């Protein structure tokens, strides 16, 4: 028997950019509620909301100044209760972001912590004495900008650690009182009906207890992002970090059928360790489709090794996009984005769809004077800026794409593609990307073999990836063309005939394949094996 988060499809909402209901150019919770019918129509099972907590927005909500509140920009706690109720009424689960590695420097905990060395909350953050020369305690670098991960607090004469911005001091999970306070945050939201958490930078909670220097990266060059100068041996994925996972999981297990998802940027082998023995993450996020070259052979090898590395009982998952990465339609192109959605929704494991990817939204264009992302501001020129993938959802072809009132300036400009590339137009267009996404979702939901069946891959000609999903003798063949050239592949020996149930081009349904499969440029086929 599979659970909702195994069968289901997760849809990530970046609340600032989904729907503005009060005309301030920033999306909000009542706006999300207005769009729940759309999500129900689309057929997804759960929404994950990027942070909606009170925040000075130094990192657009990933700097939390109150873990048990709602930012007035997004609404009120009552709006959150309303959203949870409305979502549940539509059989949609609600997953919230949990930013446990660091808070905002405006959080009252940090205000107290920095007030004096003997404040009871001093140890809730990570404070160290200066090095003998008065400089930072060690060589650790900030992920944002590559400067020291330490800032000196003049008044108390010590440095505090911030893995990201100086406005995002790291919490000290080795302190039992801090730990209890943060675990209570999980309980607070579960009591309100939240169905799970996506844990921000889950691989960074516990740093090296001895604060050892990170080694230099031998192959580092000046043109690489400054923070990559060091190999992060002592700041991420430390042996102690797995402890933190268990603390979180134990609390999540106090409530039935909640899901714990971890944001992890780790090689497969290290990532799968975050399942623990069924006592850590339910779903350590698998970002490898984003970071691997977009090639059939690479993708097959990735899926095969992921499957072989998964511990017994562990459930896989796949991600094609999020608020930190360039959009899939920009990375692989519009035609391949359709194939990519076919891949995402037929692989074994829980898929996460980033808002707008269901219509093939590309990155938006951000003029230099509209750049907001602190990562871009601090490391310009490396293409790291995340504003392009955070532009407003393109709902329709009207002014501001239906995201906010026509006379209001949205917080980030609406993408130039919106007059033709938008959800309303695609709803009317039988062969649109939205139509394809919705058909894929419906097929996946309807067919147990596709949402919970086994996976095995087949030898495939260059440029193509063929695999099977099967359960109880019901077998499905997925054939994907990763290139812009047609490919003909013999059918695998184990498949004598198959009937096309869906093509990325939405036009071959019912066609019988025997002996071979012909894939047009950028085509993906989902077929039932006869
Ligand atoms: C995660 C978030 C990202 C944020 C960072 C710091 O990677 O996804 O948006 O900037 O953590 O909190």
């Amino acid at each position: 028997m599979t659970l909702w988060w195994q069968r289901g499809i997760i849809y990530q909402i970046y609340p600032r950019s989904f729907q503005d209901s009060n005309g301030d150019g920033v999306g909000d919770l009542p706006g999300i509620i207005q769009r729940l019918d759309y999500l129900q129509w689309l057929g997804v099972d759960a929404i994950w909301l990027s942070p909606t907590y009170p925040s000075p927005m130094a990192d657009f909500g990933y700097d939390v100044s109150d873990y048990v509140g709602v930012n007035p920009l997004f609404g009120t706690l009552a709006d959150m209760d309303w959203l949870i109720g409305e979502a549940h009424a539509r059989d949609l689960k609600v997953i919230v972001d949990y930013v446990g590695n660091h808070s905002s420097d405006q959080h009252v905990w940090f205000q107290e912590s920095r007030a004096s060395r003997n404040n009871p909350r001093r140890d809730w953050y990570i404070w160290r004495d200066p090095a003998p020369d008065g400089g930072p305690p060690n060589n650790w670098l900030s992920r944002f900008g590559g400067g020291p991960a330490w800032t000196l607090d003049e008044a108390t004469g010590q440095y505090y650690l911030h893995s990201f911005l100086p406005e995002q001091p790291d919490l000290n999970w080795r302190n039992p009182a801090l730990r209890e306070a943060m675990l209570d945050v999980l309980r607070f939201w579960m009591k309100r009906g939240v169905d799970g958490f996506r844990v921000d930078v889950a691989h960074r909670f516990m740093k090296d207890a001895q604060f050892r220097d990170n080694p230099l990266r031998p192959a580092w060059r000046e043109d690489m992002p400054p923070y990559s100068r060091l190999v992060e041996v002592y700041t991420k994925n430390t042996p102690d970090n797995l402890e933190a996972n268990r603390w979180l999981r134990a609390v999540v297990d106090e409530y039935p059928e909640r899901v714990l998802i971890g944001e992890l940027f780790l090689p497969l082998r290290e990532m799968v360790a975050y399942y623990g023995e069924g006592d850590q993450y339910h779903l350590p996020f698998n970002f490898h489709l984003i970071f691997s070259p977009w090639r059939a052979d690479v993708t097959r090898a990735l899926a095969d090794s992921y499957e072989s590395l998964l511990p017994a009982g562990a459930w896989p998952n796949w991600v094609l996009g999020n608020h930190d990465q360039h959009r899939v339609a920009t990375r692989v192109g519009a035609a391949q984005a359709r194939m990519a959605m076919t891949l995402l929704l037929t692989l074994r494991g829980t898929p996460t769809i980033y808002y707008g990817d269901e219509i093939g939204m590309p990155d938006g264009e951000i003029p230099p004077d509209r750049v907001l992302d602190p990562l871009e501001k601090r490391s310009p020129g490396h293409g790291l800026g995340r504003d392009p993938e955070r532009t407003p959802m393109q709902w329709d072809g009207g002014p501001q794409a239906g995201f906010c009132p026509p006379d209001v300036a949205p917080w980030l400009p609406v993408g130039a593609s919106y007059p033709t590339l938008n959800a309303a137009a695609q709803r009317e267009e039988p062969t649109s990307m939205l139509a394809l996404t919705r058909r894929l979702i419906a097929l996946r939901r309807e067919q147990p073999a596709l949402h919970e069946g086994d996976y095995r891959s087949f030898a495939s000609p260059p440029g193509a990836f063929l695999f099977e999903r099967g359960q109880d003798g019901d077998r499905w063949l997925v054939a994907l063309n990763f290139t812009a050239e047609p490919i003909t592949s013999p059918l695998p020996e184990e498949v004598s005939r198959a009937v096309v149930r869906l093509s990325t081009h939405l036009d071959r349904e019912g066609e019988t394949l025997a002996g071979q499969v012909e894939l047009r440029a950028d085509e993906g086929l989902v077929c039932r094996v006869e």
Side-chain angles (χ1 to χ4, degrees):
M1 192 35 204
T2 46
L3 298 169
W4 67 267
W5 53 265
Q6 298 175 306
R7 288 186 299 273
I9 295 166
I10 301 171
Y11 183 95
Q12 182 192 353
I13 293 177
Y14 193 67
R16 295 183 67 93
S17 301
F18 204 55
Q19 179 66 58
D20 174 20
S21 77
N22 63 353
D24 61 359
V26 178
D28 45 48
L29 297 178
I32 296 172
I33 294 170
Q34 288 171 21
R35 297 298 185 176
L36 289 177
D37 287 341
Y38 165 82
L39 296 175
Q40 192 182 25
W41 170 85
L42 183 61
V44 297
D45 300 84
I47 52 175
W48 150 35
L49 307 179
S50 283
T52 55
Y53 307 101
S55 162
M57 295 281 171
D59 187 22
F60 294 96
Y62 284 94
D63 48 324
V64 177
S65 55
D66 176 6
Y67 287 102
V68 293
V70 169
N71 194 319
L73 200 56
F74 297 124
T76 62
L77 210 42
D79 289 331
M80 184 57 99
D81 292 340
W82 180 29
L83 169 58
I84 294 169
E86 292 287 338
H88 287 170
R90 291 168 178 79
D91 275 334
L92 287 166
K93 306 283 186 188
V94 179
I95 298 167
V96 296
D97 226 293
Y98 179 77
V99 192
N101 179 69
H102 46 267
S103 73
S104 161
D105 63 344
Q106 300 305 306
H107 197 296
V108 61
W109 296 344
F110 188 68
Q111 302 288 311
E112 291 178 23
S113 182
R114 80 183 314 170
S116 72
R117 286 198 189 203
N118 53 18
N119 185 283
R121 292 222 166 94
R122 182 67 168 182
D123 189 45
W124 283 33
Y125 292 82
I126 301 172
W127 292 97
R128 304 290 287 170
D129 287 333
D133 67 354
N138 65 18
N139 75 349
W140 295 356
L141 299 177
S142 155
R143 269 296 269 110
F144 286 173
W150 299 95
T151 289
L152 178 65
D153 179 59
E154 302 272 351
T156 57
Q158 283 188 311
Y159 283 84
Y160 67 88
L161 180 70
H162 50 87
S163 302
F164 296 88
L165 298 172
E167 294 89 344
Q168 294 169 294
D170 283 37
L171 292 163
N172 181 14
W173 279 80
R174 295 183 193 276
N175 178 293
L178 172 279
R179 205 153 68 216
E180 275 317 303
M182 282 304 288
L183 294 176
D184 273 342
V185 168
L186 296 171
R187 296 187 181 98
F188 174 90
W189 291 106
M190 288 190 285
K191 276 187 210 138
R192 296 198 101 87
V194 156
D195 301 286
F197 302 92
R198 172 269 189 191
V199 179
D200 194 54
V201 288
H203 50 313
R204 289 186 185 274
F205 275 44
M206 301 278 272
K207 290 85 185 165
D208 180 44
Q210 297 170 54
F211 295 91
R212 282 169 281 189
D213 276 352
N214 277 324
L216 294 172
R217 182 181 304 280
W220 188 78
R221 296 184 318 263
E222 285 291 334
D223 59 344
M224 290 161 72
Y227 70 81
S228 61
R229 211 158 60 223
L230 303 180
V231 186
E232 287 200 86
V233 176
Y234 297 116
T235 38
K236 76 173 192 195
N237 194 32
T238 63
D240 290 352
N241 201 58
L242 300 178
E243 278 309 308
N245 304 345
R246 291 198 191 90
W247 296 324
L248 300 178
R249 175 62 180 271
V251 172
V252 166
D253 282 350
E254 290 170 10
Y255 294 75
E257 287 201 25
R258 303 302 204 269
V259 68
L260 189 64
I261 307 174
E263 184 203 27
L264 297 161
F265 295 99
L266 296 173
L268 280 180
R269 198 174 289 279
E270 290 166 36
M271 184 186 93
V272 297
Y274 282 72
Y275 287 101
E277 286 161 11
D279 57 354
Q280 297 184 31
Y281 284 95
H282 291 110
L283 299 176
F285 257 152
N286 170 7
F287 297 130
H288 289 271
L289 282 178
I290 300 179
F291 298 116
S292 306
W294 193 247
R295 283 187 9 211
D297 55 342
V298 172
T299 308
R300 179 186 178 198
L302 165 64
D304 288 356
S305 52
Y306 184 43
E307 286 279 348
S308 71
L309 287 169
L310 284 171
W315 191 259
N317 78 92
W318 297 94
V319 181
L320 265 182
N322 61 36
H323 63 292
D324 295 327
Q325 308 300 332
H326 295 301
R327 283 188 179 270
V328 59
T330 295
R331 299 196 314 266
V332 304
Q336 280 290 310
R338 296 177 71 115
M339 197 286 281
M341 189 60 85
T342 310
L343 171 73
L344 177 72
L345 293 173
T346 53
L347 280 171
R348 189 174 84 92
T350 308
T352 299
I353 299 177
Y354 185 48
Y355 86 93
D357 282 355
E358 75 274 26
I359 58 170
M361 253 173 80
D363 278 0
E365 307 72 15
I366 310 294
D369 63 335
R370 296 286 304 264
V371 169
L372 294 176
D373 181 20
L375 180 53
E376 174 67 17
K377 288 184 174 172
R378 287 170 174 255
S379 308
H382 295 286
L384 297 173
R386 300 168 299 175
D387 297 321
E389 59 264 24
R390 297 174 177 181
T391 57
M393 175 66 183
Q394 296 174 193
W395 292 108
D396 59 45
Q400 312 301 10
F403 165 71
C404 62
D407 53 337
V408 166
W411 75 286
L412 280 176
V414 174
S417 59
Y418 87 92
T420 49
L421 200 161
N422 62 69
Q426 292 196 13
R427 257 178 109 142
E428 303 301 317
E429 161 62 63
T431 59
S432 67
M433 169 102 194
L434 181 58
L436 170 66
T437 307
R438 187 163 178 260
R439 296 270 305 273
L440 283 164
I441 292 175
L443 190 62
R444 183 186 173 96
R445 287 180 76 111
E446 164 195 307
Q447 299 297 332
L450 291 177
H451 61 248
E452 58 188 27
D454 296 337
Y455 158 94
R456 85 169 146 158
S457 69
F458 297 118
S460 322
F465 175 25
L466 273 65
F467 64 91
E468 178 184 271
R469 301 292 313 282
Q471 192 187 43
D472 300 334
D474 184 30
R475 296 162 61 209
W476 290 73
L477 173 72
V478 180
L480 304 169
N481 183 350
F482 277 66
T483 76
E485 302 296 327
I487 298 177
T488 301
S489 167
L491 283 182
E493 246 172 55
E494 299 82 345
V495 177
S496 49
R497 264 159 55 96
V499 176
V500 176
R501 286 295 303 272
L502 209 50
S503 153
T504 37
H505 302 34
L506 293 172
D507 61 357
R508 286 173 74 175
E509 203 167 316
E511 187 183 316
T512 299
L513 309 176
Q516 63 178 33
V517 50
E518 284 171 25
L519 294 170
R520 291 169 290 174
D522 308 300
E523 188 171 36
L525 295 177
V526 187
C527 315
R528 187 168 222 155
V529 177
E530 298 269 286

